[in-house]
Each structure stands twice: as C-alpha cells, then as structure tokens.
Amino acid sequence: MSHSSTAPTNKAPKHKPRPLIDLLVSLIIPSVILMKLSGESDLGVTGALITALAFPISWGLFELIKYRKFNFIALLGLISVLLTGGIGLLQLDTQWLAIKEAAVPGIIGIAVLVSTQTQYPLIKTLLYNPKILNVDKISQRLEELDKTAVFEKRLMSATYLLGGTFFFSSVMNYVLARWIVTSPAGSAAFNEQLGEMTLLSYPMIAIPSMVMMMVIFYYLWRTIHGITGLKFEEIMNVEKKD
C-alpha cells in the first residue's frame, strides 16, 4: 500500500481584488453602525465606535495574514482608522479629525512628488508598471527613436498631475470633515456625523479622484502612442490567449 505524501507549502494564496466586499466591510457597515447604533439604548457611543472600527481593522489584518501582501496604501488606511477611533474615544477637538482626514492623502501626494527625486518615482509603481503596460516594448521603441528623454519629461508632468489628485483629495477631506462633523467627539451625534462623512466621502471625493486618475492614465497612453506610434494592444500588457 503506497502512501502519497503532500509536502506543506508556505506560499500564500493568490490575492484577488474584491472591491465590493472591501467597500461593504470598510465603508458601508461601519458607517451604518455609527449612524444607527450610537444611541444609549443600542451600543452606546463608545461601543458603536469600537464596533465600527473593528470591521476595517479586522478585514485589513485578515488580508495581511492570509495573503501576506504588504500594501502601503492599506497601512495608511489602517493608521487612519486607528486615529479616527482615538479622536473619538479620547474626545479630542473635531478640528483634529479634519486635520487627520486631510493628512492621509496629503502624505501620499508629498510621497509622489518626493519620489520624483529618487530612482523609483511612484507613478511607475501606480500606473507605468509592467502589470498594466508593456514597459519593455515601450522602452525599446523609445530607445530606437531616441525619444527616452522626451518621454521622461512627459512622465514627470503626469507625476505632478498624480500628486495634484492626492492634494485635491486632501483639501476635499478637510472641507468635508469641517462641514459635517460639528458635534463634540465622544457624543452620539459625533458618531452619526462621522458615519455620514464616511459615506459622503466616496461619491464626493473617491469618484472624482478616480476620474482624475483615469484622465492621467489616458494622458500617459496618448503620450506613449504619440511618441512611439505603438497601437493600444501593443502598449497595454494584455495576455494573449492561444
């Protein structure tokens, strides 16, 4: 009788993006808890805040442990959630909430601009990378046409536009927080307003930012096509099926 042994593998399962679940767990459920369960007859102010914060924190840790995927943006999101909880539980002035809301995208925007002075500009990580574009083919064509320097200048312009997108989010986050969250931290009204702000931030900030990112990507594609003459399917990293 032969026994076939299967050696245990230490490889993490392949991570598949699940934007709808991310949105539900990190945004919608916490917002509903804050708005509907902050009353003394429900979870109470502190209980609702801790319960709401538990969802995005648990989800972030689950993804990190299961898929072992370190994500700088996810880390900033986790810090953001912890800071929000701290402001509510310590009953700090609501101005600190507005500063915190502005700080997260502001820090990313600064990182994008600072990265232009390094060998690894963040635009190459976010947009101009081999997972999205056929970088090797584009680079080869640019060298053949002696247009690498011209392209690098255009890429720098796209980087400034990308930084501007995050600064837009930073300003809008600050305005939204100051406009909506007016009740003292630690009150049921504060929790309700926090939930309302979280829900409104998606259509008012995230969607315009996504549109701006798409415009930047279109600018990048048009630049590559204009300089190299490569077609869309040659520029994009599309896996060909036999």
Side-chain angles (χ1 to χ4, degrees):
M1 187 175 177
S2 61
H3 294 280
S4 59
S5 61
T6 54
T9 57
N10 290 326
K11 282 188 177 179
K14 191 175 180 182
H15 182 263
K16 290 182 181 177
R18 292 169 287 189
L20 289 177
I21 296 175
D22 288 342
L23 194 63
L24 185 69
V25 176
S26 302
L27 186 78
I28 297 171
I29 292 174
S31 298
V32 171
I33 290 169
L34 288 171
M35 287 190 290
K36 302 296 182 187
L37 301 176
S38 293
E40 290 305 320
S41 59
D42 299 305
L43 294 174
V45 176
T46 305
L49 191 56
I50 291 171
T51 306
L53 292 172
F55 277 87
I57 291 172
S58 303
W59 182 247
L61 289 173
F62 165 76
E63 293 250 303
L64 184 68
I65 292 164
K66 184 170 182 179
Y67 299 108
R68 301 175 201 168
K69 196 171 178 65
F70 178 79
N71 188 316
F72 176 67
I73 307 295
L75 179 65
L76 273 176
L78 191 61
I79 293 168
S80 172
V81 167
L82 291 171
L83 286 173
T84 301
I87 290 164
L89 296 174
L90 296 173
Q91 300 182 14
L92 300 178
D93 192 289
T94 52
Q95 184 180 348
W96 288 106
L97 178 69
I99 292 169
K100 187 279 297 181
E101 289 294 313
V104 175
I107 289 167
I108 301 172
I110 291 167
V112 168
L113 296 184
V114 169
S115 73
T116 61
Q117 306 303 314
T118 69
Q119 288 183 314
Y120 307 101
L122 276 174
I123 195 164
K124 290 190 176 179
T125 305
L126 297 170
L127 293 177
Y128 186 68
N129 72 66
K131 288 183 180 177
I132 302 173
L133 302 173
N134 196 338
V135 173
D136 290 338
K137 190 181 188 80
I138 295 164
S139 299
Q140 186 183 346
R141 180 62 66 90
L142 287 168
E143 282 179 21
E144 287 171 3
L145 299 170
D146 196 23
K147 295 286 186 181
T148 304
V150 175
F151 176 70
E152 288 294 333
K153 279 187 182 178
R154 300 276 183 89
L155 196 60
M156 193 65 74
S157 299
T159 305
Y160 292 138
L161 289 171
L162 184 64
T165 301
F166 288 109
F167 290 129
F168 164 80
S169 292
S170 179
V171 172
M172 288 298 292
N173 275 353
Y174 184 85
V175 170
L176 195 65
R178 293 294 282 172
W179 175 41
I180 291 176
V181 185
T182 55
S183 299
S187 66
F190 171 81
N191 276 12
E192 288 174 21
Q193 290 168 354
L194 194 62
E196 189 183 344
M197 182 195 73
T198 307
L199 278 181
L200 282 176
S201 69
Y202 191 74
M204 287 184 70
I205 298 166
I207 291 175
S209 295
M210 262 195 281
V211 170
M212 288 163 75
M213 288 280 274
M214 287 168 68
V215 168
I216 293 165
F217 186 78
Y218 178 74
Y219 167 79
L220 196 59
W221 175 80
R222 288 291 298 172
T223 297
I224 295 166
H225 173 69
I227 294 174
T228 63
L230 292 171
K231 294 176 184 174
F232 179 80
E233 57 270 22
E234 294 175 301
I235 292 170
M236 303 302 294
N237 188 8
V238 181
E239 289 183 10
K240 292 184 179 176
K241 293 180 181 178
D242 296 328

